[in-house]
C-alpha cells in the first residue's frame, strides 16, 4: 500500500498541474517554438522523381519560414550537387552549435533509398549515408526534441538504428525490402500548411498529425489506382527501436510526436515594448522547457517528474502574472 500511495500522489499532482497549465495557455497565446530544420534532397532513380523530391524539399522550407514562422537562418536546404555526405556532416555541425537543449531540431530526407546486405542507405551525390552514419551526428545534438524523418524507399532500418529517448523517428516504409519510390513525402509536407491536418485545432500540426495525414493520403492514392500499397510508414517516439504502424496518444508510440511540431500556423507578434517583449520571450522559454520535460516523462521517476513539472508550472504562472500586470500598466 505504501508504494501505491507514493505513486498516486505524484500522479494527482501532475493531473492538477496539467489543468493549471491548460488555464494558462490558450490557442490565442500559442508560442513560436525555436525550431532548427535540415532538409536533404538526395538522389532519385529518375529525373521525374528527382524534380518531385526537390519540390517537396523546397516546399517544406518555404512553408517553415513562411506559414510556420521558422527563422530563415534556422533552415538548411541541401539539394542537387549540394547534397553530399560532407555537406550533411557540416550541416549537423551547424545544428549542434546553434540548437539549445529545449529547441526543436528536425531532419527530413527526401530521395531514394536502398537496402542490401542488411544495410539501408540514403543515396547522395558521392558516398551514400547509412542509418549508422547518422547516429553519431544525432548524438552531438544538445536538443532533447529531435525529429528525424526519412521519406525515402527502404527507410525502415533507420528506426532501429536511430531510436532513442527524446527522438521521434519516422520512416516511409516498414521494411528495408519496400524499395519502390514512395509517396509519403508529398502529403507529409502538405500537412504542415493545412488546417485540415490540425486534428486538435490548436494551430500547430504536430509530427503525429502530419504522419496520420500522410498515411491516410498514401492509402487513398493506392486505393484510387487499384494497386496494392508498396509502402507502410512507421513512427517511433519511445526509444524502443520499434516503429508503430498505428501510433496514437493511447498507443506505445505517438504521445511524444503529438507534442512536437515545426511551428505554429497562428503566429503571435511580440509586443513592441522592450520590457514586455522580454517577459514574453521568457514565458516562451518556460513553455518549451515544459514540453521538453513531457518528452522525458516515460524515463523519469514519477516523484522527480512531478516535482520538476510543479516548479516549471509555478514559474510559468508567475511569469504570466507579470505579463498581465505589465500589460495592464501599459494601457
Amino acid at each position: 500500500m505504501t508504494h501505491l500511495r507514493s505513486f498516486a500522489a505524484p500522479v494527482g499532482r501532475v493531473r492538477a498541474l496539467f489543468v493549471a497549465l491548460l488555464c494558462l495557455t490558450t490557442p490565442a497565446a500559442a508560442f513560436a517554438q525555436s525550431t532548427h530544420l535540415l532538409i536533404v534532397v538526395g538522389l532519385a532513380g529518375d529525373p521525374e522523381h528527382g524534380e518531385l523530391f526537390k519540390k517537396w524539399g523546397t516546399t517544406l522550407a518555404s512553408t517553415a519560414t513562411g506559414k510556420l514562422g521558422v527563422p530563415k537562418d534556422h533552415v538548411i536546404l541541401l539539394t542537387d550537387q549540394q547534397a553530399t555526405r560532407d555537406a550533411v556532416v557540416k550541416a549537423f555541425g551547424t545544428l549542434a552549435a546553434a540548437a539549445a537543449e529545449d529547441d526543436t531540431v528536425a531532419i527530413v530526407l527526401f530521395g531514394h533509398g536502398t537496402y542490401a546486405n542488411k544495410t539501408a542507405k540514403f543515396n547522395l551525390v558521392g558516398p551514400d549515408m547509412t542509418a549508422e552514419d547518422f547516429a553519431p551526428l544525432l548524438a552531438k545534438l544538445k536538443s532533447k526534441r529531435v525529429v528525424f524523418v526519412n521519406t525515402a524507399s527502404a527507410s525502415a532500418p533507420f528506426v532501429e538504428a536511430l531510436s532513442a529517448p527524446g527522438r521521434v523517428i519516422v520512416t516511409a516504409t516498414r521494411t528495408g525490402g519496400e524499395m519502390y519510390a514512395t509517396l509519403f513525402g508529398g502529403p507529409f509536407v502538405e500537412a504542415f500548411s493545412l488546417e485540415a491536418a490540425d486534428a486538435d485545432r490548436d494551430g500547430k500540426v504536430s509530427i503525429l498529425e502530419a504522419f496520420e495525414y500522410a498515411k491516410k493520403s498514401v492509402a487513398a492514392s493506392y486505393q484510387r489506382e487499384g494497386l496494392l500499397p508498396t509502402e507502410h510508414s512507421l513512427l517511433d517516439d519511445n526509444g524502443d527501436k520499434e516503429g508503430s504502424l498505428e501510433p496514437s496518444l493511447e498507443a506505445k508510440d505517438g504521445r511524444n510526436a503529438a507534442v512536437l511540431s515545426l511551428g505554429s500556423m497562428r503566429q503571435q507578434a511580440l509586443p513592441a515594448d522592450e520590457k514586455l517583449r522580454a517577459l514574453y520571450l521568457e514565458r516562451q522559454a518556460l513553455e518549451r522547457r515544459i514540453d521538453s520535460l513531457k518528452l522525458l516523462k516515460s524515463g523519469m521517476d514519477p516523484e522527480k517528474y512531478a516535482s520538476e513539472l510543479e516548479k516549471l508550472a509555478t514559474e510559468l504562472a508567475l511569469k504570466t502574472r507579470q505579463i498581465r500586470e505589465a500589460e495592464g500598466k501599459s494601457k
Side-chain angles (χ1 to χ4, degrees):
M1 292 300 292
T2 302
H3 291 293
L4 289 175
R5 282 197 297 269
S6 64
F7 181 76
V11 169
R13 284 164 58 195
V14 168
R15 186 177 293 114
L17 286 168
F18 275 127
V19 172
L21 288 173
L22 286 173
C23 294
L24 289 170
T25 14
T26 64
F31 63 91
Q33 291 182 351
S34 183
T35 299
H36 299 261
L37 176 61
L38 168 60
I39 303 167
V40 184
V41 182
L43 294 178
D46 55 70
E48 182 180 357
H49 280 102
E51 289 301 314
L52 189 60
F53 296 152
K54 185 175 181 179
K55 178 183 177 182
W56 293 348
T58 55
T59 299
L60 180 58
S62 61
T63 298
T65 57
K67 196 159 191 175
L68 302 182
V70 179
K72 289 185 178 180
D73 61 352
H74 284 201
V75 177
I76 302 172
L77 173 62
L78 301 177
T79 64
D80 302 321
Q81 297 303 308
Q82 296 176 326
T84 65
R85 180 187 180 121
D86 287 345
V88 171
V89 172
K90 182 179 178 181
F92 266 92
T94 300
L95 293 177
E101 64 177 15
D102 291 317
D103 289 347
T104 297
V105 177
I107 300 97
V108 186
L109 311 182
F110 300 101
H112 185 63
T114 57
Y115 183 72
N117 300 319
K118 298 183 179 181
T119 301
K121 294 182 179 181
F122 178 68
N123 298 163
L124 294 165
V125 176
D128 298 331
M129 292 187 71
T130 66
E132 288 71 18
D133 290 331
F134 281 98
L137 300 178
L138 288 171
K140 292 180 180 179
L141 300 176
K142 296 186 289 290
S143 173
K144 295 179 288 188
R145 307 159 60 93
V146 176
V147 179
F148 187 98
V149 182
N150 186 349
T151 70
S153 49
S155 49
F158 279 67
V159 171
E160 183 177 356
L162 304 181
S163 174
R167 293 181 190 169
V168 177
I169 311 296
V170 173
T171 62
T173 74
R174 65 180 174 187
T175 69
E178 292 186 327
M179 293 190 286
Y180 290 103
T182 57
L183 305 178
F184 183 83
F188 183 79
V189 169
E190 183 181 35
F192 291 107
S193 62
L194 293 179
E195 291 188 7
D198 180 17
D200 60 7
R201 299 294 185 265
D202 67 348
K204 296 179 288 185
V205 175
S206 69
I207 302 303
L208 178 62
E209 287 171 332
F211 177 90
E212 287 295 327
Y213 178 86
K215 185 181 70 172
K216 291 176 182 176
S217 296
V218 169
S221 295
Y222 280 100
Q223 189 173 23
R224 281 195 302 269
E225 300 300 326
L227 300 172
L228 289 174
T230 57
E231 60 184 282
H232 303 81
S233 50
L234 294 176
L235 186 150
D236 169 78
D237 67 356
N238 67 354
D240 68 353
K241 301 185 181 298
E242 293 182 1
S244 295
L245 291 167
E246 301 287 344
S248 71
L249 290 172
E250 293 75 35
K252 70 182 185 72
D253 289 306
R255 281 169 286 184
N256 290 342
V259 174
L260 295 178
S261 65
L262 299 184
S264 175
M265 292 186 284
R266 301 173 189 165
Q267 291 302 306
Q268 180 188 26
L270 291 171
D273 181 84
E274 288 188 13
K275 291 184 178 179
L276 193 54
R277 185 185 185 92
L279 289 173
Y280 267 75
L281 291 173
E282 288 167 7
R283 183 170 69 176
Q284 289 177 6
L286 284 169
E287 288 170 330
R288 286 198 299 273
R289 288 177 63 190
I290 288 170
D291 274 353
S292 297
L293 182 63
K294 291 177 187 177
L295 294 177
L296 301 174
K297 178 183 177 182
S298 61
M300 293 180 66
D301 174 76
E303 284 282 358
K304 183 178 180 182
Y305 175 77
S307 175
E308 292 191 19
L309 182 60
E310 183 175 15
K311 178 184 176 183
L312 289 173
T314 301
E315 290 181 38
L316 181 59
L318 292 173
K319 192 63 62 178
T320 299
R321 182 185 300 171
Q322 283 182 279
I323 289 173
R324 288 172 180 167
E325 290 175 351
E327 288 176 332
K329 291 178 181 178
S330 64
K331 290 182 181 180

